[in-house]
Each structure stands twice: as C-alpha cells, then as structure tokens.
C-alpha cells in the first residue's frame, strides 16, 4: 500500500504546473478599466505550436482597445506532463 501511495505522489508531482508573471513596463498614465491580452501556446516543450506568434504590447493593446497604456505584465505558464505545455501571455492595462 505504501508503494502505491508513493508512486501516486510521484505521478502527481510530474503533472504539476507552474506560472511566472513579470512586470515589463509602467507609465505615469492612470490605471484604467481595460485589459488587453495577446497569448499563444506551445506543446511538447516547444516542438509544436504557432511559430512567430505575435504576443507584443501593440497587439495586446489593440485587443483591449487601449490607447493609453498604464502597465504591462508578461506571464509564462507551464503545465501538462513534465511541463510539456507552455502558455505565453502579454497583458496590457490602461484606458
């Protein structure tokens, strides 16, 4: 029974996910109520996914209809088996 629990705990640890959010830029503009996002996913450690996907600040700002940017965050989230799926997201806040 102990071996079954140990194997189960090991498998769960391999299937865990992690996320890292980093601030990229900030301006003196007030924080607005709009949010724009640009993101893409890769699979199997980057072997599959959209190549050359635009996750830039300009695309995220256009997505949210933002003309005055307050601040920008960039998030990388790993998930799936051994982190085989990765999502890259740029978030733009402003008015």
């Amino acid at each position: 029974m102990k071996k079954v629990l140990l194997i189960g705990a090991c498998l769960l640890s391999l299937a865990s996910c992690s996320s890292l959010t980093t601030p990229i830029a900030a301006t003196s503009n007030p924080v607005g109520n709009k949010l724009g996002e640009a993101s893409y996913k890769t699979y199997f450690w980057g072997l599959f996914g959209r190549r050359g996907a635009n996750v830039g600040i300009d695309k995220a700002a256009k997505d949210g209809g933002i003309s005055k940017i307050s601040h920008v965050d960039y998030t990388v989230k790993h998930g799936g088996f051994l982190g085989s799926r990765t999502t890259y997201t740029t978030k733009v806040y402003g008015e």
Side-chain angles (χ1 to χ4, degrees):
M1 183 65 178
K2 288 182 182 181
K3 288 182 181 181
V4 172
L5 290 176
L6 180 63
I7 291 171
C10 289
L11 289 176
L12 283 176
S13 69
L14 293 175
S16 65
C17 62
S18 65
S19 177
L20 174 68
T21 300
T22 306
I24 298 296
T27 66
S28 60
N29 294 332
V31 177
N33 58 355
K34 294 182 181 179
L35 167 65
E37 291 187 4
S39 64
Y40 76 97
K41 291 182 182 181
T42 61
Y43 300 95
F44 296 107
W45 304 279
L47 296 175
F48 300 101
R50 296 185 332 186
R51 298 283 182 199
N54 184 2
V55 291
I57 294 171
D58 58 338
K59 182 170 186 322
K62 287 179 185 176
D63 175 66
I66 298 171
S67 59
K68 293 183 181 180
I69 296 173
S70 168
H71 63 282
V72 180
D73 290 336
Y74 183 70
T75 303
V76 178
K77 183 177 180 181
H78 300 284
F81 182 72
L82 292 175
S84 63
R85 181 182 64 243
T86 306
T87 303
Y88 302 92
T89 305
T90 302
K91 292 183 180 181
V92 174
Y93 303 86
E95 21 179 79

